[in-house]
Structure formats: C-alpha cells, structure tokens
Amino acid sequence: MQNPSKKVRSLGNPAETQFTNPEPLLQVKCFLLDMDGTFNLGDELIEGSLYFIDTLNELGLDYLFLTNNSSKHRGIYAEKITRLGLPVTEEKVFTAGEATALYLAREHPSAKVYVVGTPALEEEFRGHGFQLEENDPQLVVLGFDTTLTYQKLWKLCDFARAGLPYIATHPDFNCPTQTGYMPDIGAMIAFVRAATGRDPDLVVGKPNRMIVDAVSQKYGWSIPEMAMVGDRLYTDIALGQTSGITTCLVLSGETTREDLATSPFQPTYTFANLGAIADMLKTHSTRKDK
C-alpha cells in the first residue's frame, strides 16, 4: 500500500520502543488512531503510517481514525486520508464533533444550538437534526473554529454569562502542523474562562470516556478489544485513566520523552511511531504462530 509519490516525514530511529508485557496489546482487535501528529502532519504522512495499516490488514486487525479535531467532519477527513495514500470511507473516521452531536441529539433532541465552529461542524449539527440559532439558543457548543472571529467569541461569552449550557467538543491546547503548532480549542476555552469565569459544563472528546463509549456503541468493540494510539499525553494517553483502554504513545507529534518523564498520564506502551507498533505486532504474531 505504500505510495512513493506521497510525502512521508521521517522521524529518526523507530527502535525507540518501551514496553514490558505485550499481552494487553495482543488482545486488541481495533486500533483507535489519532491523526495530527500520529498518522500525518498536515499533508505529509508520518514515516511508518501506511506500513502500520498494511500490517493490521495482514494480521486481520481493524482500525478507526479517532480525532478530537472538530474543525472538519468525517467525510472531509476520509477524503484527506484517501488523498494521502490510504483509501478509506467515512465509516473509518470518528470525530469529537460527531460524538458531541450524537450525545446532544440523545440528551437534547432538536434543540436550538449556537455553534462556534467551522461550516463543517455546523453541517455536522444540522445533519443530526439541530436548528442553529444565533440569537436565542437553548445551549452553546464550542468547537475548534479555524474561522473564529471576535464577534463569535463575544456572543459565546454573553451566552456563558447568561448561564446557558456550555459544551466543548474537546480540550486540546494546540494542533500539530508541518511547521509547528496552531492554537486549538483550549485557547478559546481559556478566553471564555478569563472573560466569564466559566469552563465548559461538558467536554466530550478525549480524554473523556464518553468518546470511547460512543465508539463502542457505534462499532461494537469492547474496551479490552480497543487501544488508543496518539501523540498527546493529556488527551490520547489520559484516556487510559478515564476509560481503562490500552494506550500507545507515539513520539511523532507533540510529546517528547522529557514530557513523558514528568507527566501524570503514563501510556501502556511508548513507540517512536506507528511503524514501530507494526514491528512489535509482527514479531509477537510470528512467535505465537511457532
């Protein structure tokens, strides 16, 4: 499946691997994959990403892209992943935006919602039966809004001060890019907190267990059958503490070994990148077959 025409970012020594007992990982039937910093950086694949997918296919294992980034819906992500060299349908993608819309559709069906988000997030909410309301909403939703304006933030603060239910799709502070980091929803949450004294009443995405339960409900995998693979300690890896899921940290994005040493969120396993996970799975699969 490797496509030599695609840009692939090399990340040095893939042998940087830390694990002791391989059994929890060998029980996994579906790998939940973060995207930015794990599978790709912008429009560049990270070294080993397609090799990892090839390995899962060879071993009869499944995968699902699970991203906190709510600036796009799953159809847009599926198109991007396909463009990067891995043809997938939108059923292979689950976003914090979709998880938020599914939760609110269950708890507040057909509510009038003020969405601070991109047109793609607005489309997600309309698709789940919500009426988008600018002036008299019943609740407000904050997503990763790359079309953010001061006017949107001002209105969000007014609604927060008025006491309306306030939901955020995820908590990430930064989003990795090919050139560094761009401010994510965490910076917007901090703005609202500074102006109003309020934090979101609910944060749906990683590390909230709610997103894992939503995946389990939609796709049928149990907690022991899934593993979260990502590059962020406070979202991807913290998910292990909130949900009990096996976690794999990859050092291909935001987290460094120095960060890991001082973090309260410790992964089940640490790898340089997805390719190193594939090597481990192949090695232990070969041993089991002997």
Side-chain angles (χ1 to χ4, degrees):
M1 185 176 291
Q2 292 278 9
N3 186 339
S5 67
K6 298 296 178 184
K7 289 185 177 180
V8 177
R9 174 162 293 208
S10 176
L11 291 158
N13 178 17
E16 290 187 80
T17 302
Q18 290 182 356
F19 66 89
T20 51
N21 178 14
E23 286 307 313
L25 201 60
L26 298 180
Q27 302 304 313
V28 173
K29 296 181 180 179
C30 181
F31 288 85
L32 309 179
L33 303 177
D34 181 51
M35 290 185 60
D36 298 312
T38 300
F39 183 78
N40 63 285
L41 281 172
D43 289 325
E44 293 184 12
L45 287 172
I46 293 173
E47 182 181 18
S49 293
L50 294 185
Y51 167 58
F52 175 74
I53 299 298
D54 287 342
T55 299
L56 296 187
N57 290 335
E58 289 172 15
L59 298 177
L61 301 174
D62 209 346
Y63 63 92
L64 176 71
F65 288 98
L66 181 66
T67 178
N68 265 358
N69 192 331
S70 59
S71 66
K72 304 176 180 68
H73 58 63
R74 61 182 181 157
I76 295 174
Y77 277 118
E79 290 174 4
K80 178 173 184 175
I81 295 166
T82 298
R83 191 170 67 249
L84 289 174
L86 176 64
V88 295
T89 67
E90 62 181 35
E91 284 301 310
K92 283 292 188 184
V93 182
F94 194 73
T95 72
E98 181 181 2
T100 303
L102 285 170
Y103 168 78
L104 292 177
R106 184 172 67 249
E107 298 296 323
H108 304 277
S110 304
K112 295 187 292 183
V113 182
Y114 178 59
V115 174
V116 180
T118 60
L121 186 62
E122 292 177 345
E123 183 181 338
E124 182 84 66
F125 272 80
R126 288 193 188 94
H128 284 85
F130 290 100
Q131 176 184 342
L132 302 192
E133 172 60 46
E134 290 279 328
N135 299 310
D136 187 28
Q138 295 168 291
L139 54 90
V140 295
V141 172
L142 174 62
F144 177 23
D145 189 1
T146 55
T147 62
L148 188 66
T149 64
Y150 186 81
Q151 199 66 32
K152 285 184 181 182
L153 280 172
W154 187 353
K155 187 171 287 191
L156 173 59
C157 288
D158 283 345
F159 291 141
R161 287 193 195 93
L164 290 183
Y166 166 32
I167 295 93
T169 59
H170 61 289
D172 301 47
F173 295 110
N174 291 294
C175 179
T177 71
Q178 291 160 261
T179 57
Y181 300 96
M182 62 187 294
D184 206 320
I185 187 174
M188 303 170 198
I189 291 172
F191 181 103
V192 177
R193 181 192 308 121
T196 70
R198 277 192 72 183
D199 280 315
D201 302 312
L202 178 68
V203 179
V204 175
K206 300 174 289 185
N208 194 318
R209 178 180 176 133
M210 187 180 299
I211 196 167
V212 175
D213 290 338
V215 169
S216 180
Q217 179 180 358
K218 181 174 180 178
Y219 294 93
W221 301 110
S222 68
I223 295 293
E225 292 175 325
M226 296 185 287
M228 182 67 226
V229 184
D231 67 302
R232 296 183 189 182
L233 292 166
Y234 63 93
T235 55
D236 301 313
I237 304 310
L239 200 60
Q241 291 186 12
T242 60
S243 69
I245 195 172
T246 295
T247 56
C248 298
L249 173 70
V250 287
L251 301 173
S252 51
E254 182 173 308
T255 299
T256 66
R257 287 203 178 276
E258 291 72 25
D259 297 329
L260 177 60
T262 59
S263 174
F265 308 116
Q266 292 295 309
T268 317
Y269 306 97
T270 301
F271 296 94
N273 56 26
L274 290 176
I277 303 178
D279 287 338
M280 182 271 208
L281 291 172
K282 279 192 169 184
T283 297
H284 286 278
S285 175
T286 301
R287 289 176 184 172
K288 286 174 65 176
D289 292 341
K290 289 184 178 179

